[in-house]
Amino acid sequence: MTSILESFGNNSMAMITLLIVIPAMLLTTAYLFRRLESRERLLAIEKGVYQPIPAEESYRRGRRIAVVLIAAGVGVILAFVLEAFAHRRPPVAAGLGIIPLTIGLGLLFDLRVQRRELRRSGLQPLPSADRNPSDR
């Protein structure tokens, strides 16, 4: 069985760099956006015009993150499978895409469980894009 580094072939340093640098850049960008949102909220609280984030917005944000993670995982898996197929090697590195894929699936599952709990408690479930407007 080949190791992940062997499956990268001659471009091992480039692939490792991509696997570390791109996620680090994405995490840094997400951190900076969250920090900016927090500062804006604190300034609004100081001025007395603070309005909390609606539940629908946080639900949509969570769903969007889940879909992006699923798409990223599928993309990583496909990229490594195609690369391995082109070089006639086993797709060992394709397993790296399973991590974001399962995280995204877990987030979607958690959103479904939250919606079910809201229904059981008698509260209005959050709106969902997968339902028709006539069903609401």
Side-chain angles (χ1 to χ4, degrees), residues 52-94:
I53 298 173
E56 296 91 16
E57 179 62 30
S58 64
Y59 180 79
R60 284 189 198 112
R61 182 181 288 178
R63 188 176 58 208
R64 189 177 309 127
I65 290 170
V67 170
V68 167
L69 282 170
I70 291 170
V74 169
V76 168
I77 290 170
L78 286 175
F80 284 126
V81 166
L82 291 175
E83 191 271 334
F85 180 72
H87 295 289
R88 298 176 194 260
R89 287 185 284 216
V92 177

